[in-house]
Amino acid sequence: MLHVLYLVGVAAFAASGVLAAHRANMDPFGGLVLAFAAGVSGGTLRDLILDRDPLYWTQDWVLLTVIASVGVSTMVYLRFRRLPHRALLLVDAVGLAVVTVIGARAALEAEVTPLAVLILAVMTGVTGEVVRDILCGELPPLLLREEVYATAAFAGALCYLVLHWLEVAQTPATIASAGVVFALRIAAMYFGLSLPRSRSHEQQEAG
């Protein structure tokens, strides 16, 4: 079940890579590059930090097939259909939700400290988006433009960690925690939610 959820998250990131490439007017090869970069970057960084060898995706032909299939399918869809409004953000939210929680699970299996679990989970979730945006020349990346992005990943990772301590089963804990991430991202998108910002010196004087 967890592997299926991970495939869903990676597929969502792969689709987001192609959508970003489409917006940047890249050719099909560029779309596939972004699909793979968005799909595996987060997990690759996590495994490198945890000193895992070999990297997870080099041994998983199903994962690579899913990325390639989703990438090609998305490009074919975009060939005949217009890019749906906010499609990139919606698909990205799915990928962020699932991959973040799977990252938390992998960190727990490596028996790292609770703080390291949160850090690795957030890094797993957001790295694919950062790499994707940099490769397609969209700066600053979504992570730095949307305040409730890494925050949503952190909330989901924290939720999973708490549920793990409470000894909740893996599957419901994963679904619930991914739901927290997705709900926060969607709420931020549709209701303009953001973290409170500190007032600048000029604003304080004006007030």
Side-chain angles (χ1 to χ4, degrees):
M1 179 63 178
L2 289 177
H3 186 60
V4 173
L5 289 174
Y6 193 58
L7 291 177
V8 170
V10 169
F13 268 148
S16 78
V18 174
L19 292 173
H22 180 76
R23 294 203 318 184
N25 294 317
M26 289 186 176
D27 62 18
F29 179 75
L32 282 178
V33 168
L34 260 65
F36 278 94
V40 305
S41 293
T44 298
L45 179 60
R46 179 199 65 224
D47 283 1
L48 288 174
I49 293 174
L50 294 176
D51 197 25
R52 288 184 170 182
D53 185 37
L55 296 176
Y56 75 103
W57 55 267
T58 62
Q59 305 295 311
D60 193 342
W61 65 268
V62 175
L63 177 69
L64 298 177
T65 302
V66 166
I67 293 175
S69 300
V70 170
V72 172
S73 299
T74 306
M75 283 189 282
V76 171
Y77 174 85
L78 293 173
R79 180 73 175 176
F80 300 100
R81 301 282 185 178
R82 292 186 60 185
L83 181 65
H85 183 58
R86 288 189 172 180
L88 176 58
L89 295 178
L90 287 170
V91 173
D92 185 80
V94 174
L96 177 68
V98 177
V99 173
T100 294
V101 178
I102 298 298
R105 179 63 198 171
L108 283 170
E109 290 176 349
E111 299 182 348
V112 299
T113 66
L115 181 58
V117 170
L118 298 177
I119 293 172
L120 287 168
V122 173
M123 291 176 64
T124 304
V126 306
T127 299
E129 171 273 325
V130 173
V131 172
R132 178 199 70 207
D133 286 359
I134 290 175
L135 288 178
C136 70
E138 189 166 344
L139 298 173
L142 182 62
L143 172 64
L144 300 180
R145 288 181 282 120
E146 296 284 343
E147 292 184 33
V148 185
Y149 193 88
T151 306
F154 180 85
L158 181 60
C159 177
Y160 188 85
L161 190 59
V162 171
L163 293 176
H164 173 74
W165 285 337
L166 295 176
E167 299 183 351
V168 176
Q170 282 189 23
T171 299
T174 299
I175 294 174
S177 303
V180 169
V181 181
F182 185 76
L184 286 174
R185 279 297 298 140
I186 296 300
M189 288 165 48
Y190 284 95
F191 300 107
L193 299 183
S194 63
L195 297 177
R197 301 184 181 184
S198 59
R199 299 178 64 189
S200 65
H201 179 69
E202 292 78 4
Q203 288 175 323
Q204 291 175 356
E205 288 184 344

